[in-house]
Amino acid sequence: MIKHYLSFAKPHPAEEVELDVRMEILRTKDIIMPLALQKGVTMDVELIHIHSIKGDSNKLQQVLINVMKNGIEAIESGGSLSVISYDEKEKLFIAFQDTGIGMTYKQVTRLGEPYFSLKGTKGTGLGMMTVYQMVDAMSGKVNVQSKKCHGTTITLSFPSVTG
């Protein structure tokens, strides 16, 4: 697992290609599954999208790893993380829904700020900043819905390639 994780952390030259989002999500699930098992978190993946997106495979992997890892770590014990992909109005959406501790409105508004972390000394505050930057670099958007004690849903949207 560490070998896989480190291979994605290495800098790679940006390469924008048509991405098989289904394969990228499943590969990330395989990488992150040991952490989920360790925390007693079940993972459900429902891939109902048809289209693909343009972007950099390494960047998308890093985004997926960061969001899934954060979702799992937000769950204190047991619980679930669901990943759902779907198409709507020329966009491809990937939604991550966890049953974790949730966030206040103020915490949600600070996500993506450098060095802002909800993990205390265990977090660097760079993971979500990286997510926002990489999603933006692929012409995507990040939407976060959360309620304290009721979990979080992070939805990524990207322009889809229909051709």
Side-chain angles (χ1 to χ4, degrees):
M1 180 179 139
I2 292 171
K3 185 174 126 188
H4 286 291
Y5 191 76
L6 290 175
S7 73
F8 293 117
K10 287 181 188 171
H12 295 276
E15 184 182 346
E16 193 164 293
V17 296
E18 194 169 329
L19 298 175
D20 181 347
V21 176
R22 180 173 278 105
M23 182 195 71
E24 300 290 351
I25 291 171
L26 293 174
R27 187 164 50 151
T28 304
K29 180 187 175 199
D30 288 344
I31 292 168
I32 212 79
M33 201 61 196
L35 176 64
L37 292 172
Q38 179 184 0
K39 292 212 53 175
V41 173
T42 59
M43 284 187 70
D44 301 309
V45 176
E46 188 176 350
L47 306 173
I48 57 176
H49 70 276
I50 297 167
H51 300 107
S52 56
I53 64 172
K54 277 204 180 277
D56 181 279
S57 175
N58 292 302
K59 286 181 182 174
L60 182 60
Q61 276 293 313
Q62 197 164 2
V63 165
L64 296 173
I65 286 171
N66 282 339
V67 175
M68 286 185 195
K69 184 174 178 284
N70 284 348
I72 291 167
E73 289 174 346
I75 300 168
E76 291 175 338
S77 178
S80 66
L81 173 67
S82 298
V83 182
I84 303 164
S85 67
Y86 58 95
D87 296 299
E88 191 176 287
K89 296 182 182 173
E90 299 179 12
K91 290 191 183 292
L92 189 148
F93 293 86
I94 308 169
F96 306 83
Q97 185 173 18
D98 69 56
T99 58
I101 60 172
M103 294 177 278
T104 65
Y105 173 78
K106 186 174 181 168
Q107 290 170 326
V108 170
T109 62
R110 294 199 58 204
L111 277 184
E113 285 182 16
Y115 309 112
F116 175 73
S117 176
L118 297 170
K119 299 176 190 173
T121 58
K122 293 180 183 176
T124 63
L126 299 174
M128 283 306 291
M129 180 190 78
T130 302
V131 166
Y132 277 89
Q133 288 176 346
M134 290 186 174
V135 169
D136 185 60
M138 292 190 291
S139 303
K141 300 267 185 257
V142 178
N143 179 278
V144 180
Q145 299 291 318
S146 189
K147 189 173 180 186
K148 201 76 172 150
C149 303
H150 293 286
T152 300
T153 300
I154 294 180
T155 305
L156 310 177
S157 62
F158 300 95
S160 59
V161 177
T162 57

